[in-house]
Amino acid sequence: MEYPSKNDFFIRFKALINERGRFLDYVLVEVSDNFYFASGMNSDRVLGEKLSSMVIEMENPVLGLKNFHYHMLPRTRRKFEYYVEKEDRWYLVSLYSDERDYLMMVYTDISRYKEEQSRTKKHRFGNDEKDDGNRKLG
């Protein structure tokens, strides 16, 4: 599964479940081909790592796992807008269980959309200011 933008990527985790059927942690089992380009991390370094270890030992601003790990529960579906200041890039991060005991995180680069949205707001605000200045009171 690949995406058209060089900054879009996905990571996939498998849940670790104990003998009682309780969730313990996740293990990273797959990353997209453009994972390295977008995150700057070598996939060989992270594949097979537990989520708990990645959160503590492998801080990466693009992945933002410290921000998301509390929401990464089995059988969940969530979406977040996430700004990576270091890269000046916006992502829409989608978390969802794609199969039993697996969790996908899809990072979609929405920077162009956010820039356009910001320009539209500035343009609209600028027009509103002019209109307000031309109004007569009383």
Side-chain angles (χ1 to χ4, degrees), residues 91-127:
Y91 283 100
L92 175 63
V93 180
S94 301
L95 298 170
Y96 62 92
S97 296
D98 65 339
E99 293 178 27
R100 180 171 162 75
D101 301 331
Y102 284 88
L103 183 79
M104 289 287 290
M105 290 184 74
V106 179
Y107 293 73
T108 305
D109 184 352
I110 59 170
S111 299
R112 273 195 273 174
Y113 168 76
K114 295 297 273 188
E115 289 170 12
E116 182 63 32
Q117 189 180 41
S118 177
R119 278 195 293 269
T120 301
K121 283 182 180 178
K122 286 179 184 175
H123 177 72
R124 190 178 311 147
F125 180 72
N127 287 342

mmCIF file of all heavy atoms in Angstrom, residues 91-127:
data_model
loop_
_atom_site.group_PDB
_atom_site.id
_atom_site.type_symbol
_atom_site.label_atom_id
_atom_site.label_comp_id
_atom_site.label_asym_id
_atom_site.label_seq_id
_atom_site.Cartn_x
_atom_site.Cartn_y
_atom_site.Cartn_z
ATOM 1 N N TYR A 91 -0.055 16.915 9.417
ATOM 2 C CA TYR A 91 -0.521 15.576 9.062
ATOM 3 C C TYR A 91 -1.934 15.364 9.591
ATOM 4 O O TYR A 91 -2.283 15.862 10.651
ATOM 5 C CB TYR A 91 0.370 14.496 9.688
ATOM 6 C CG TYR A 91 1.677 14.296 8.977
ATOM 7 C CD1 TYR A 91 2.840 14.873 9.464
ATOM 8 C CD2 TYR A 91 1.755 13.517 7.831
ATOM 9 C CE1 TYR A 91 4.049 14.679 8.818
ATOM 10 C CE2 TYR A 91 2.949 13.322 7.177
ATOM 11 C CZ TYR A 91 4.097 13.905 7.679
ATOM 12 O OH TYR A 91 5.286 13.714 7.032
ATOM 13 N N LEU A 92 -2.695 14.588 8.850
ATOM 14 C CA LEU A 92 -3.917 13.999 9.363
ATOM 15 C C LEU A 92 -3.511 12.569 9.708
ATOM 16 O O LEU A 92 -3.072 11.817 8.842
ATOM 17 C CB LEU A 92 -5.033 13.992 8.322
ATOM 18 C CG LEU A 92 -6.314 13.289 8.744
ATOM 19 C CD1 LEU A 92 -6.950 13.994 9.944
ATOM 20 C CD2 LEU A 92 -7.284 13.207 7.585
ATOM 21 N N VAL A 93 -3.593 12.219 10.984
ATOM 22 C CA VAL A 93 -3.196 10.891 11.443
ATOM 23 C C VAL A 93 -4.468 10.105 11.731
ATOM 24 O O VAL A 93 -5.288 10.514 12.551
ATOM 25 C CB VAL A 93 -2.312 10.966 12.708
ATOM 26 C CG1 VAL A 93 -1.909 9.574 13.168
ATOM 27 C CG2 VAL A 93 -1.077 11.823 12.438
ATOM 28 N N SER A 94 -4.615 8.988 11.046
ATOM 29 C CA SER A 94 -5.769 8.103 11.233
ATOM 30 C C SER A 94 -5.303 6.829 11.912
ATOM 31 O O SER A 94 -4.373 6.176 11.438
ATOM 32 C CB SER A 94 -6.401 7.746 9.889
ATOM 33 O OG SER A 94 -6.812 8.905 9.219
ATOM 34 N N LEU A 95 -5.925 6.501 13.024
ATOM 35 C CA LEU A 95 -5.665 5.254 13.753
ATOM 36 C C LEU A 95 -6.876 4.355 13.573
ATOM 37 O O LEU A 95 -7.997 4.802 13.788
ATOM 38 C CB LEU A 95 -5.522 5.511 15.257
ATOM 39 C CG LEU A 95 -4.422 6.387 15.765
ATOM 40 C CD1 LEU A 95 -4.648 6.690 17.246
ATOM 41 C CD2 LEU A 95 -3.107 5.678 15.604
ATOM 42 N N TYR A 96 -6.635 3.128 13.191
ATOM 43 C CA TYR A 96 -7.765 2.196 13.111
ATOM 44 C C TYR A 96 -7.264 0.756 13.132
ATOM 45 O O TYR A 96 -6.149 0.466 12.721
ATOM 46 C CB TYR A 96 -8.625 2.450 11.873
ATOM 47 C CG TYR A 96 -7.897 2.267 10.560
ATOM 48 C CD1 TYR A 96 -7.913 1.045 9.898
ATOM 49 C CD2 TYR A 96 -7.213 3.326 9.969
ATOM 50 C CE1 TYR A 96 -7.262 0.879 8.691
ATOM 51 C CE2 TYR A 96 -6.557 3.171 8.768
ATOM 52 C CZ TYR A 96 -6.585 1.941 8.134
ATOM 53 O OH TYR A 96 -5.937 1.786 6.949
ATOM 54 N N SER A 97 -8.106 -0.109 13.626
ATOM 55 C CA SER A 97 -7.821 -1.538 13.617
ATOM 56 C C SER A 97 -8.263 -2.079 12.270
ATOM 57 O O SER A 97 -9.440 -2.004 11.935
ATOM 58 C CB SER A 97 -8.576 -2.256 14.740
ATOM 59 O OG SER A 97 -8.135 -1.793 15.991
ATOM 60 N N ASP A 98 -7.309 -2.598 11.492
ATOM 61 C CA ASP A 98 -7.654 -3.110 10.175
ATOM 62 C C ASP A 98 -7.952 -4.605 10.193
ATOM 63 O O ASP A 98 -8.572 -5.126 9.307
ATOM 64 C CB ASP A 98 -6.570 -2.803 9.154
ATOM 65 C CG ASP A 98 -5.261 -3.503 9.441
ATOM 66 O OD1 ASP A 98 -5.031 -3.899 10.601
ATOM 67 O OD2 ASP A 98 -4.455 -3.655 8.509
ATOM 68 N N GLU A 99 -7.495 -5.293 11.193
ATOM 69 C CA GLU A 99 -7.770 -6.718 11.406
ATOM 70 C C GLU A 99 -7.763 -6.929 12.908
ATOM 71 O O GLU A 99 -7.292 -6.100 13.663
ATOM 72 C CB GLU A 99 -6.673 -7.591 10.799
ATOM 73 C CG GLU A 99 -6.587 -7.577 9.296
ATOM 74 C CD GLU A 99 -5.441 -8.443 8.801
ATOM 75 O OE1 GLU A 99 -5.058 -9.411 9.491
ATOM 76 O OE2 GLU A 99 -4.916 -8.132 7.733
ATOM 77 N N ARG A 100 -8.213 -8.071 13.334
ATOM 78 C CA ARG A 100 -8.169 -8.378 14.754
ATOM 79 C C ARG A 100 -6.718 -8.309 15.241
ATOM 80 O O ARG A 100 -5.840 -8.918 14.645
ATOM 81 C CB ARG A 100 -8.739 -9.772 14.978
ATOM 82 C CG ARG A 100 -8.737 -10.184 16.406
ATOM 83 C CD ARG A 100 -9.514 -11.485 16.579
ATOM 84 N NE ARG A 100 -9.203 -12.127 17.831
ATOM 85 C CZ ARG A 100 -9.639 -11.720 19.004
ATOM 86 N NH1 ARG A 100 -10.403 -10.661 19.084
ATOM 87 N NH2 ARG A 100 -9.326 -12.370 20.105
ATOM 88 N N ASP A 101 -6.496 -7.554 16.296
ATOM 89 C CA ASP A 101 -5.191 -7.422 16.949
ATOM 90 C C ASP A 101 -4.145 -6.657 16.135
ATOM 91 O O ASP A 101 -2.968 -6.730 16.442
ATOM 92 C CB ASP A 101 -4.637 -8.786 17.364
ATOM 93 C CG ASP A 101 -5.548 -9.527 18.320
ATOM 94 O OD1 ASP A 101 -6.279 -8.843 19.074
ATOM 95 O OD2 ASP A 101 -5.545 -10.762 18.314
ATOM 96 N N TYR A 102 -4.544 -5.932 15.107
ATOM 97 C CA TYR A 102 -3.615 -5.079 14.364
ATOM 98 C C TYR A 102 -4.106 -3.642 14.435
ATOM 99 O O TYR A 102 -5.311 -3.394 14.505
ATOM 100 C CB TYR A 102 -3.507 -5.497 12.894
ATOM 101 C CG TYR A 102 -2.673 -6.735 12.703
ATOM 102 C CD1 TYR A 102 -3.249 -7.994 12.777
ATOM 103 C CD2 TYR A 102 -1.306 -6.631 12.462
ATOM 104 C CE1 TYR A 102 -2.492 -9.137 12.609
ATOM 105 C CE2 TYR A 102 -0.541 -7.777 12.299
ATOM 106 C CZ TYR A 102 -1.142 -9.016 12.369
ATOM 107 O OH TYR A 102 -0.381 -10.144 12.210
ATOM 108 N N LEU A 103 -3.172 -2.703 14.395
ATOM 109 C CA LEU A 103 -3.521 -1.285 14.411
ATOM 110 C C LEU A 103 -2.710 -0.576 13.337
ATOM 111 O O LEU A 103 -1.489 -0.734 13.275
ATOM 112 C CB LEU A 103 -3.223 -0.671 15.781
ATOM 113 C CG LEU A 103 -3.634 0.792 15.921
ATOM 114 C CD1 LEU A 103 -5.141 0.898 16.160
ATOM 115 C CD2 LEU A 103 -2.893 1.445 17.061
ATOM 116 N N MET A 104 -3.395 0.180 12.511
ATOM 117 C CA MET A 104 -2.750 0.975 11.462
ATOM 118 C C MET A 104 -2.708 2.431 11.904
ATOM 119 O O MET A 104 -3.651 2.920 12.516
ATOM 120 C CB MET A 104 -3.551 0.918 10.161
ATOM 121 C CG MET A 104 -3.517 -0.386 9.439
ATOM 122 S SD MET A 104 -1.948 -0.709 8.630
ATOM 123 C CE MET A 104 -1.961 0.489 7.322
ATOM 124 N N MET A 105 -1.613 3.091 11.558
ATOM 125 C CA MET A 105 -1.512 4.542 11.692
ATOM 126 C C MET A 105 -1.158 5.057 10.309
ATOM 127 O O MET A 105 -0.106 4.723 9.773
ATOM 128 C CB MET A 105 -0.431 4.944 12.684
ATOM 129 C CG MET A 105 -0.754 4.623 14.111
ATOM 130 S SD MET A 105 0.516 5.235 15.252
ATOM 131 C CE MET A 105 0.182 6.986 15.260
ATOM 132 N N VAL A 106 -2.049 5.847 9.729
ATOM 133 C CA VAL A 106 -1.829 6.406 8.405
ATOM 134 C C VAL A 106 -1.609 7.907 8.567
ATOM 135 O O VAL A 106 -2.449 8.603 9.135
ATOM 136 C CB VAL A 106 -3.020 6.129 7.469
ATOM 137 C CG1 VAL A 106 -2.780 6.752 6.104
ATOM 138 C CG2 VAL A 106 -3.270 4.626 7.360
ATOM 139 N N TYR A 107 -0.464 8.372 8.086
ATOM 140 C CA TYR A 107 -0.095 9.780 8.160
ATOM 141 C C TYR A 107 -0.268 10.379 6.762
ATOM 142 O O TYR A 107 0.436 9.999 5.832
ATOM 143 C CB TYR A 107 1.370 9.940 8.582
ATOM 144 C CG TYR A 107 1.687 9.504 9.981
ATOM 145 C CD1 TYR A 107 1.729 8.158 10.338
ATOM 146 C CD2 TYR A 107 1.985 10.449 10.955
ATOM 147 C CE1 TYR A 107 2.048 7.764 11.633
ATOM 148 C CE2 TYR A 107 2.303 10.063 12.253
ATOM 149 C CZ TYR A 107 2.332 8.721 12.579
ATOM 150 O OH TYR A 107 2.653 8.333 13.856
ATOM 151 N N THR A 108 -1.205 11.323 6.650
ATOM 152 C CA THR A 108 -1.467 11.976 5.374
ATOM 153 C C THR A 108 -1.028 13.428 5.485
ATOM 154 O O THR A 108 -1.516 14.155 6.363
ATOM 155 C CB THR A 108 -2.968 11.905 5.032
ATOM 156 O OG1 THR A 108 -3.380 10.534 5.062
ATOM 157 C CG2 THR A 108 -3.246 12.497 3.664
ATOM 158 N N ASP A 109 -0.112 13.831 4.627
ATOM 159 C CA ASP A 109 0.404 15.194 4.642
ATOM 160 C C ASP A 109 -0.692 16.138 4.143
ATOM 161 O O ASP A 109 -1.114 16.058 2.999
ATOM 162 C CB ASP A 109 1.636 15.280 3.749
ATOM 163 C CG ASP A 109 2.305 16.640 3.774
ATOM 164 O OD1 ASP A 109 1.749 17.593 4.357
ATOM 165 O OD2 ASP A 109 3.409 16.758 3.203
ATOM 166 N N ILE A 110 -1.154 17.018 5.033
ATOM 167 C CA ILE A 110 -2.206 17.986 4.676
ATOM 168 C C ILE A 110 -1.668 19.413 4.713
ATOM 169 O O ILE A 110 -2.432 20.369 4.830
ATOM 170 C CB ILE A 110 -3.448 17.834 5.591
ATOM 171 C CG1 ILE A 110 -3.080 18.048 7.064
ATOM 172 C CG2 ILE A 110 -4.127 16.488 5.353
ATOM 173 C CD1 ILE A 110 -4.290 18.157 7.981
ATOM 174 N N SER A 111 -0.362 19.568 4.583
ATOM 175 C CA SER A 111 0.259 20.896 4.680
ATOM 176 C C SER A 111 -0.284 21.870 3.648
ATOM 177 O O SER A 111 -0.590 23.024 3.966
ATOM 178 C CB SER A 111 1.778 20.789 4.542
ATOM 179 O OG SER A 111 2.301 19.988 5.564
ATOM 180 N N ARG A 112 -0.415 21.421 2.397
ATOM 181 C CA ARG A 112 -0.933 22.325 1.361
ATOM 182 C C ARG A 112 -2.361 22.762 1.673
ATOM 183 O O ARG A 112 -2.716 23.923 1.491
ATOM 184 C CB ARG A 112 -0.891 21.662 -0.018
ATOM 185 C CG ARG A 112 0.446 21.862 -0.690
ATOM 186 C CD ARG A 112 0.351 21.528 -2.133
ATOM 187 N NE ARG A 112 0.592 20.093 -2.247
ATOM 188 C CZ ARG A 112 0.479 19.402 -3.342
ATOM 189 N NH1 ARG A 112 0.101 19.985 -4.451
ATOM 190 N NH2 ARG A 112 0.730 18.120 -3.356
ATOM 191 N N TYR A 113 -3.163 21.834 2.153
ATOM 192 C CA TYR A 113 -4.537 22.159 2.530
ATOM 193 C C TYR A 113 -4.552 23.194 3.661
ATOM 194 O O TYR A 113 -5.309 24.166 3.608
ATOM 195 C CB TYR A 113 -5.276 20.891 2.951
ATOM 196 C CG TYR A 113 -6.593 21.169 3.618
ATOM 197 C CD1 TYR A 113 -7.708 21.551 2.878
ATOM 198 C CD2 TYR A 113 -6.718 21.081 5.004
ATOM 199 C CE1 TYR A 113 -8.921 21.828 3.496
ATOM 200 C CE2 TYR A 113 -7.931 21.352 5.621
ATOM 201 C CZ TYR A 113 -9.021 21.725 4.869
ATOM 202 O OH TYR A 113 -10.208 22.004 5.485
ATOM 203 N N LYS A 114 -3.712 23.001 4.679
ATOM 204 C CA LYS A 114 -3.674 23.928 5.815
ATOM 205 C C LYS A 114 -3.173 25.307 5.377
ATOM 206 O O LYS A 114 -3.675 26.325 5.857
ATOM 207 C CB LYS A 114 -2.788 23.371 6.934
ATOM 208 C CG LYS A 114 -3.317 22.093 7.566
ATOM 209 C CD LYS A 114 -4.637 22.291 8.258
ATOM 210 C CE LYS A 114 -4.453 22.741 9.670
ATOM 211 N NZ LYS A 114 -5.706 22.765 10.437
ATOM 212 N N GLU A 115 -2.189 25.349 4.463
ATOM 213 C CA GLU A 115 -1.701 26.630 3.949
ATOM 214 C C GLU A 115 -2.802 27.363 3.197
ATOM 215 O O GLU A 115 -2.999 28.564 3.372
ATOM 216 C CB GLU A 115 -0.495 26.405 3.038
ATOM 217 C CG GLU A 115 0.750 25.985 3.772
ATOM 218 C CD GLU A 115 1.852 25.530 2.840
ATOM 219 O OE1 GLU A 115 1.749 25.755 1.604
ATOM 220 O OE2 GLU A 115 2.819 24.935 3.334
ATOM 221 N N GLU A 116 -3.523 26.623 2.352
ATOM 222 C CA GLU A 116 -4.618 27.230 1.595
ATOM 223 C C GLU A 116 -5.715 27.716 2.532
ATOM 224 O O GLU A 116 -6.254 28.811 2.360
ATOM 225 C CB GLU A 116 -5.183 26.219 0.589
ATOM 226 C CG GLU A 116 -6.287 26.773 -0.274
ATOM 227 C CD GLU A 116 -5.853 27.921 -1.163
ATOM 228 O OE1 GLU A 116 -4.679 27.938 -1.595
ATOM 229 O OE2 GLU A 116 -6.674 28.821 -1.400
ATOM 230 N N GLN A 117 -6.027 26.930 3.547
ATOM 231 C CA GLN A 117 -7.028 27.313 4.536
ATOM 232 C C GLN A 117 -6.603 28.592 5.255
ATOM 233 O O GLN A 117 -7.410 29.487 5.475
ATOM 234 C CB GLN A 117 -7.204 26.167 5.528
ATOM 235 C CG GLN A 117 -8.338 26.322 6.481
ATOM 236 C CD GLN A 117 -8.434 25.121 7.420
ATOM 237 O OE1 GLN A 117 -7.420 24.605 7.895
ATOM 238 N NE2 GLN A 117 -9.649 24.683 7.683
ATOM 239 N N SER A 118 -5.325 28.686 5.587
ATOM 240 C CA SER A 118 -4.799 29.866 6.271
ATOM 241 C C SER A 118 -4.879 31.101 5.362
ATOM 242 O O SER A 118 -5.275 32.178 5.810
ATOM 243 C CB SER A 118 -3.354 29.617 6.695
ATOM 244 O OG SER A 118 -2.814 30.763 7.283
ATOM 245 N N ARG A 119 -4.522 30.932 4.087
ATOM 246 C CA ARG A 119 -4.613 32.060 3.139
ATOM 247 C C ARG A 119 -6.056 32.524 2.981
ATOM 248 O O ARG A 119 -6.327 33.718 2.932
ATOM 249 C CB ARG A 119 -4.049 31.654 1.776
ATOM 250 C CG ARG A 119 -2.557 31.740 1.680
ATOM 251 C CD ARG A 119 -2.114 31.677 0.236
ATOM 252 N NE ARG A 119 -2.383 30.381 -0.361
ATOM 253 C CZ ARG A 119 -1.543 29.369 -0.376
ATOM 254 N NH1 ARG A 119 -0.356 29.500 0.184
ATOM 255 N NH2 ARG A 119 -1.865 28.229 -0.947
ATOM 256 N N THR A 120 -6.982 31.588 2.919
ATOM 257 C CA THR A 120 -8.399 31.925 2.778
ATOM 258 C C THR A 120 -8.876 32.709 3.991
ATOM 259 O O THR A 120 -9.575 33.711 3.856
ATOM 260 C CB THR A 120 -9.243 30.647 2.592
ATOM 261 O OG1 THR A 120 -8.777 29.963 1.428
ATOM 262 C CG2 THR A 120 -10.709 30.967 2.448
ATOM 263 N N LYS A 121 -8.473 32.267 5.193
ATOM 264 C CA LYS A 121 -8.877 32.975 6.410
ATOM 265 C C LYS A 121 -8.283 34.382 6.444
ATOM 266 O O LYS A 121 -8.958 35.337 6.803
ATOM 267 C CB LYS A 121 -8.441 32.205 7.655
ATOM 268 C CG LYS A 121 -9.314 31.033 7.967
ATOM 269 C CD LYS A 121 -8.863 30.347 9.229
ATOM 270 C CE LYS A 121 -9.733 29.155 9.546
ATOM 271 N NZ LYS A 121 -9.277 28.457 10.750
ATOM 272 N N LYS A 122 -7.003 34.517 6.051
ATOM 273 C CA LYS A 122 -6.373 35.840 6.046
ATOM 274 C C LYS A 122 -7.066 36.751 5.054
ATOM 275 O O LYS A 122 -7.319 37.914 5.335
ATOM 276 C CB LYS A 122 -4.887 35.718 5.712
ATOM 277 C CG LYS A 122 -4.060 35.167 6.833
ATOM 278 C CD LYS A 122 -2.609 35.037 6.430
ATOM 279 C CE LYS A 122 -1.809 34.381 7.531
ATOM 280 N NZ LYS A 122 -0.422 34.135 7.141
ATOM 281 N N HIS A 123 -7.383 36.200 3.879
ATOM 282 C CA HIS A 123 -8.060 36.985 2.862
ATOM 283 C C HIS A 123 -9.447 37.414 3.352
ATOM 284 O O HIS A 123 -9.827 38.576 3.235
ATOM 285 C CB HIS A 123 -8.181 36.176 1.561
ATOM 286 C CG HIS A 123 -8.921 36.892 0.486
ATOM 287 N ND1 HIS A 123 -8.392 37.971 -0.183
ATOM 288 C CD2 HIS A 123 -10.154 36.692 -0.032
ATOM 289 C CE1 HIS A 123 -9.269 38.409 -1.057
ATOM 290 N NE2 HIS A 123 -10.344 37.639 -0.996
ATOM 291 N N ARG A 124 -10.175 36.477 3.934
ATOM 292 C CA ARG A 124 -11.510 36.764 4.442
ATOM 293 C C ARG A 124 -11.433 37.779 5.576
ATOM 294 O O ARG A 124 -12.203 38.716 5.638
ATOM 295 C CB ARG A 124 -12.177 35.470 4.932
ATOM 296 C CG ARG A 124 -13.643 35.653 5.235
ATOM 297 C CD ARG A 124 -14.323 34.380 5.664
ATOM 298 N NE ARG A 124 -14.045 33.289 4.768
ATOM 299 C CZ ARG A 124 -13.949 32.026 5.136
ATOM 300 N NH1 ARG A 124 -14.103 31.685 6.389
ATOM 301 N NH2 ARG A 124 -13.686 31.083 4.261
ATOM 302 N N PHE A 125 -10.482 37.604 6.485
ATOM 303 C CA PHE A 125 -10.321 38.524 7.608
ATOM 304 C C PHE A 125 -9.973 39.913 7.102
ATOM 305 O O PHE A 125 -10.513 40.908 7.562
ATOM 306 C CB PHE A 125 -9.253 38.009 8.578
ATOM 307 C CG PHE A 125 -9.047 38.910 9.750
ATOM 308 C CD1 PHE A 125 -10.006 38.998 10.754
ATOM 309 C CD2 PHE A 125 -7.903 39.689 9.861
ATOM 310 C CE1 PHE A 125 -9.828 39.832 11.848
ATOM 311 C CE2 PHE A 125 -7.717 40.532 10.948
ATOM 312 C CZ PHE A 125 -8.673 40.599 11.937
ATOM 313 N N GLY A 126 -9.087 39.981 6.119
ATOM 314 C CA GLY A 126 -8.709 41.269 5.541
ATOM 315 C C GLY A 126 -9.908 41.981 4.951
ATOM 316 O O GLY A 126 -10.089 43.178 5.127
ATOM 317 N N ASN A 127 -10.767 41.266 4.237
ATOM 318 C CA ASN A 127 -11.978 41.870 3.663
ATOM 319 C C ASN A 127 -12.937 42.314 4.748
ATOM 320 O O ASN A 127 -13.558 43.359 4.641
ATOM 321 C CB ASN A 127 -12.685 40.872 2.731
ATOM 322 C CG ASN A 127 -11.923 40.683 1.444
ATOM 323 O OD1 ASN A 127 -11.071 41.491 1.088
ATOM 324 N ND2 ASN A 127 -12.210 39.597 0.744
#
